[in-house]
Amino acid sequence: MRKAYYVFRLDDVSFDMNLANFRRLQSILDKYDVQPIIGVIPCNRDTKLAGYGKDSRMEEDSFWLMVQSLQRDKGWAIALHGYDHVYCSNKGGILKTHERSEFAGLSEAEQDRKISLGKKILEDHGLQIAAFMAPAHTFDKTTLKVLAAHGIQTVTDGFGLYPYRKHGMTFVPQIMARPLPMPFGIFTICLHPNTMRDKDFERVEAFLSEYKRDVIPFEEAAARTADCILKKLLNLFVRWYFSTRATLKMIQRKFKNIPLLRGGA
């Protein structure tokens, strides 16, 4: 508990992403020998995401060769980032961070279909899946049941300062949207290359120039589950805080006349 460690996570990786931004971020991570976990969308049908790559994208075959190389040659971890990234329910799932989901609220059969198809696409391209990464951070207990049935035991998401076991899965928490130095804990820094601007790239490089020694691979973070009472208590507090805040924000969205203290995003 004497220091903080960081994992870099890149969301929304697909053949029709903003390739220029992805390459720019990759060059920074390569410079500091950082191995992130990347959320690969097996069959992107999200038109908004596809729009980010309208001026900078890859052919599908070249994309899969690139992802294979990132895992094989650079040690980047691969997460199954849903199936098609299309939101088809308004459920918030376990975390309640958003009221939209590709999975939460769907039947077990439909969730199984999506996860089975997505997993097959990644594995058919020679990729090893390290974790599940839910679009919009929304999933439910049925999602976790289906993931376990398909041999996926780790989720890159959740609330806490340290990885933890819950619902039969290992969760590597994600509560940080940009790199910030912290006194202790294990933090997943979630980046969206499609929408990054110059200042975002500069912030990542500035952080790595000072804290690169504290950045660890995803698999190492997943193995460092809370192993003492103090860490477990800290996790419980953080989980309570973020869960309560998410619930209150959901209520506020539904009943806009309820006054709430406004916290950070």
Side-chain angles (χ1 to χ4, degrees):
M1 234 183 88
R2 296 179 180 177
K3 65 184 300 185
Y5 295 94
Y6 309 92
V7 174
F8 275 80
R9 160 181 156 160
L10 315 185
D11 286 34
D12 304 333
V13 176
S14 64
F15 79 94
D16 48 5
M17 65 183 171
N18 183 330
L19 181 61
N21 271 15
F22 184 84
R23 290 295 197 194
R24 182 174 176 183
L25 182 56
Q26 180 190 344
S27 70
I28 296 172
L29 299 178
D30 285 349
K31 176 180 176 180
Y32 293 96
D33 193 28
V34 170
Q35 293 83 41
I37 182 166
I38 60 174
V40 178
I41 306 171
C43 182
N44 184 40
R45 294 184 179 132
D46 185 330
T47 54
K48 181 178 179 180
L49 286 185
Y52 291 126
K54 63 182 179 180
D55 299 319
S56 172
R57 63 175 62 193
M58 303 180 75
E59 295 296 326
E60 285 197 58
D61 288 345
S62 298
F63 168 76
W64 291 114
L65 289 173
M66 179 193 75
V67 177
Q68 290 169 12
S69 176
L70 291 174
Q71 183 169 66
R72 181 186 63 244
D73 302 330
K74 297 183 181 294
W76 290 27
I78 306 298
L80 176 64
H81 194 28
Y83 170 58
D84 57 16
H85 209 280
V86 173
Y87 302 124
C88 47
S89 93
N90 61 357
K91 303 298 183 182
I94 293 173
L95 301 181
K96 298 180 176 64
T97 51
H98 299 287
E99 292 181 63
R100 60 181 186 272
S101 184
E102 184 184 343
F103 292 92
L106 273 61
S107 69
E108 182 175 337
E110 179 61 10
Q111 294 202 44
D112 183 81
R113 183 187 72 84
K114 286 172 169 282
I115 289 169
S116 178
L117 287 172
K119 181 172 181 279
K120 185 176 188 303
I121 289 172
L122 296 195
E123 291 181 342
D124 283 351
H125 285 96
L127 301 173
Q128 297 178 350
I129 299 171
F132 178 71
M133 180 188 293
H137 309 274
T138 46
F139 54 90
D140 57 20
K141 290 182 180 178
T142 300
T143 318
L144 302 179
K145 178 182 177 181
V146 173
L147 289 170
H150 285 279
I152 300 174
Q153 302 284 344
T154 307
V155 175
T156 165
D157 230 322
F159 302 138
L161 295 186
Y162 296 92
Y164 58 90
R165 294 281 300 171
K166 192 175 177 67
H167 304 300
M169 307 288 284
T170 297
F171 291 82
V172 180
Q174 194 280 296
I175 59 174
M176 186 177 285
R178 62 177 181 175
L180 293 169
M182 302 298 288
F184 53 81
I186 296 177
F187 296 90
T188 299
I189 300 167
C190 180
L191 303 176
H192 291 79
N194 279 317
T195 56
M196 289 178 67
R197 300 182 178 183
D198 288 343
K199 65 178 181 180
D200 301 313
F201 294 105
E202 292 163 4
R203 185 182 291 124
V204 170
E205 178 139 28
F207 179 85
L208 288 175
S209 68
E210 187 166 355
Y211 296 100
K212 189 278 165 197
R213 65 189 179 279
D214 300 323
V215 177
I216 60 177
F218 178 82
E219 291 87 347
E220 183 177 339
R224 296 190 180 196
T225 54
D227 56 1
C228 70
I229 293 297
L230 182 55
K231 289 181 181 179
K232 291 177 181 179
L233 288 174
L234 284 169
N235 269 357
L236 286 173
F237 173 76
V238 171
R239 203 174 306 152
W240 169 83
Y241 170 78
F242 279 98
S243 296
T244 301
R245 190 178 74 163
T247 300
L248 291 175
K249 284 187 174 182
M250 182 175 66
I251 293 171
Q252 186 183 35
R253 286 193 293 269
K254 291 182 180 297
F255 305 98
K256 295 185 183 299
N257 61 328
I258 297 178
L260 291 174
L261 292 175
R262 296 185 180 276

